Structure formats: C-alpha cells, structure tokens
Amino acid sequence: MTNTVYRNFSLPALEQEYSPSSCVQDINKYIAQYIEQSAKNKDIARNNHAIIENIQYGNTAEEILDLFLPYNLHSADSESTHKKKLHIFIHGGYWQELSKDESCFAAANFQHHGYHFAAINYTLAPKASLTEILSQVRTAIAWLYQHADEYGYDPQEIYLSGSSAGAQLAIMAAMTDWQAAFGFNKNIVRGVCAVSGIYDLTPIQYTYINEPLQLTPEEIKNLSPLLANRKLTYCSDTSFIIAYGENETLEFKRQSNDLYHLNLLGRHKLLIENIAEKNHFDVILDLSDENSTLFESVLNQMESRF
C-alpha cells in the first residue's frame, strides 16, 4: 500500500501535482517567450525614453526594479489618456528562479493603455528565506507608493499581479498591515490579479521544492493566504482576480478555487477558471494581449468596473 503524505496523494503523485512542467512538453519554450518579449519591450521603451531601469528600492543588490512610463505621458492629449495608475508585476519561479528581466513581457500593453508598469526583483531562495522574499516585495511596493508623485502616478491607484509563486507574494503583500510595517495610515493596494498561485504552502514542505526554501512551520502558517486569512481584514476594500489555465494540475486549480471561495476575501472578486488552451506558463502571457479575457479583466479592475 502506497503511503499518502497530503490529501491522499503519495509523495510521487504530490510532487507531480506541484510540478507545473508535468503539463507541458517543454518549459523552456515559455521561458524563451518571457525573455524575448521582455527584451523587446525594454528596447522599445529605451528608444522612447519610457523606462527607468534598476531603481534601488532596498539595501541589497537584488532589491531593484524597472519602471515603465506610459507612452502617451508627454503627448498633447496626455491629460485625457494618462491614467495615472501603476501596475506592479511580481514574477514566479517557485521563489528560486527568474528575475525582473524576464518579467516585463506585458509592460508595453499597459504602457499603451496609459498606465505605469513596474517589474520588481527580489532575492531568490536559498539565498533568502520566503519571509525575507515577502519582506522585499512589500518594501518595493512601499517604495513605489512613497515615490508616486515623483514618477507621475496616483499613490491611491496601485495594482498588483503575480504568477505562480508571484501570485502568493501578491496576495500576501495585499494582506499587509501597512500601518504596522511602514507607518502608512491606509491600505495601499487597490487590486490584485493572482494567476496560478499556491495559497496554502502545506504540501510544499513534503516535496523537492522545499529543499532550497526550508519552510518553517511558522512560515507555512503565516505566509499561506488560506491559513493566514485573518490578515485579509487589512485589505477588505481590495478587489481580487483569481485565474488559472485549462491545462494545469488539479492541485493548482483547487488552490485557486479555495482562495476564491474564502469568505473573508471580500465582495469585489472575480474568478477566471480554465482559460482555454493555456497552461501554467503561458496563461500569464495573456497580460500582454489586449484582447485576452485576463487583460480585459485587469483593465476593468483598474477602471473600477467590477
């Protein structure tokens, strides 16, 4: 009889459920898309003087971000087309891979719609613990909030998105007690789009994924949105989009649905299930497609239409 370690899964079955690459033939082709689209967007932004690169938001070399400026910011009709809103993207990679440099594939789409766009970098595991990674993400968001006037967006109009591990970080960032952490007297995150995330870290502790993370029981309890849901009281006025692709494992789909159905998540929420023909790696690329359901939903979120 096979021993079960979590929700009736044996260890091999559990590791397969939390290995998104098990649903695709070649993960590298999607990473190549991230790299190619991001590099293209950066080149175009540089040529248009619409990017500020490697802004230091924290104390370590890894704590940097890229800020993309709206393309119509300096045009004659900029007052009517510049939305003065900021969208921050938090990359995935199981907290141990990727960086901001592969994470601006959607920047041009937001720029063309009149928004600022930021891609943030953070220190990867095992060099940093998950607690430290989340602290860096929160610091980056706080820095962008504090420097809003300098760069021309409204500090009350900050939105987050994240993919996979980045989705967990985005939800946890929204759940921050900003008063206790930074002295702000309000919630500074208006909306979150969380795509294909892990919202209960419990199963991760049993898998190979935990080798560089070395999650502690306290981290599992306090950094899992589904387990630390009491902290949602800090973002009761935040809107949430929870999304995932059709070609993902059952566990990734379950975790997204469990998060959506969490009572404390609030009234302003939207679930986008089983995005057709998309997997864990290419579903987030829909943020670069202005005609996709995912981007249209984010657009509606940023314009307060749901």
Side-chain angles (χ1 to χ4, degrees):
M1 182 176 178
T2 304
N3 291 330
T4 61
V5 293
Y6 177 77
R7 294 179 65 90
N8 295 321
F9 289 107
S10 65
L11 180 56
L14 186 67
E15 291 194 326
Q16 182 170 345
E17 282 294 311
Y18 284 92
S19 298
S21 57
S22 65
C23 295
V24 301
Q25 289 187 338
D26 182 14
I27 183 179
N28 291 317
K29 81 172 189 177
Y30 303 108
I31 305 302
Q33 283 182 272
Y34 298 167
I35 295 171
E36 181 180 354
Q37 281 188 226
S38 294
K40 181 180 178 180
N41 284 348
K42 276 196 171 186
D43 285 342
I44 294 172
R46 290 185 190 114
N47 290 337
N48 286 276
H49 306 289
I51 182 174
I52 306 169
E53 298 182 75
N54 300 319
I55 299 172
Q56 193 83 36
Y57 69 80
N59 297 323
T60 68
E62 293 90 351
E63 291 174 82
I64 53 178
L65 61 86
D66 291 337
L67 181 64
F68 293 77
L69 312 178
Y71 281 130
N72 54 26
L73 184 59
H74 303 295
S75 65
D77 62 347
S78 63
E79 284 303 312
S80 61
T81 56
H82 177 210
K83 306 295 186 181
K84 293 186 172 62
K85 299 182 182 185
L86 171 65
H87 190 92
I88 304 171
F89 182 74
I90 306 169
H91 72 80
Y94 260 144
W95 308 282
Q96 55 196 282
E97 296 178 354
L98 302 178
S99 72
K100 68 175 178 62
D101 293 325
E102 303 87 27
S103 304
C104 45
F105 45 80
N109 195 23
F110 284 89
Q111 289 174 284
H112 283 301
H113 282 81
Y115 301 117
H116 285 70
F117 179 94
I120 64 175
N121 208 70
Y122 53 83
T123 306
L124 302 176
K127 187 176 180 180
S129 68
L130 187 50
T131 298
E132 292 167 331
I133 290 170
L134 178 57
S135 177
Q136 290 183 4
V137 169
R138 286 169 167 162
T139 299
I141 296 167
W143 189 95
L144 286 162
Y145 173 79
Q146 291 170 313
H147 290 81
D149 290 343
E150 179 180 347
Y151 293 108
Y153 51 85
D154 186 342
Q156 309 308 321
E157 293 286 349
I158 294 177
Y159 299 81
L160 313 178
S161 65
S163 172
S164 192
Q168 176 265 344
L169 292 169
I171 295 291
M172 287 304 305
M175 294 164 65
T176 299
D177 180 350
W178 297 102
Q179 173 69 46
F182 297 95
F184 305 151
N185 61 3
K186 61 183 69 178
N187 169 33
I188 66 173
V189 177
R190 284 290 302 274
V192 178
C193 175
V195 183
S196 305
I198 296 176
Y199 310 114
D200 181 353
L201 299 170
T202 304
I204 299 301
Q205 68 185 311
Y206 304 113
T207 70
Y208 68 90
I209 301 154
N210 193 40
E211 291 174 11
L213 293 171
Q214 295 296 301
L215 293 169
T216 67
E218 291 75 20
E219 285 179 316
I220 293 170
K221 178 182 177 181
N222 294 322
L223 305 184
S224 297
L226 285 167
L227 303 181
N229 57 70
R230 67 192 182 283
K231 297 179 182 177
L232 285 165
T233 57
Y234 297 122
C235 55
S236 58
D237 56 346
T238 301
S239 64
F240 292 91
I241 297 170
I242 313 298
Y244 56 87
E246 177 183 18
N247 301 323
E248 302 214 38
T249 69
L250 293 176
E251 274 294 280
F252 273 94
K253 293 181 178 182
R254 179 192 65 80
Q255 289 228 12
S256 291
N257 278 284
D258 285 355
L259 180 66
Y260 175 75
H261 291 293
L262 197 64
N263 289 333
L264 291 175
L265 199 59
R267 295 177 291 106
H268 307 292
K269 58 183 180 179
L270 173 68
L271 177 66
I272 308 176
E273 305 174 88
N274 295 313
I275 299 176
E277 301 180 355
K278 296 295 182 180
N279 60 59
H280 188 86
F281 304 101
D282 64 357
V283 63
I284 195 62
L285 289 169
D286 276 7
L287 285 182
S288 64
D289 178 3
E290 66 176 351
N291 297 313
S292 71
T293 298
L294 185 63
F295 180 73
E296 288 181 355
S297 299
V298 170
L299 205 60
N300 287 334
Q301 180 185 55
M302 294 182 72
E303 296 302 320
S304 302
R305 292 196 288 258
F306 84 80

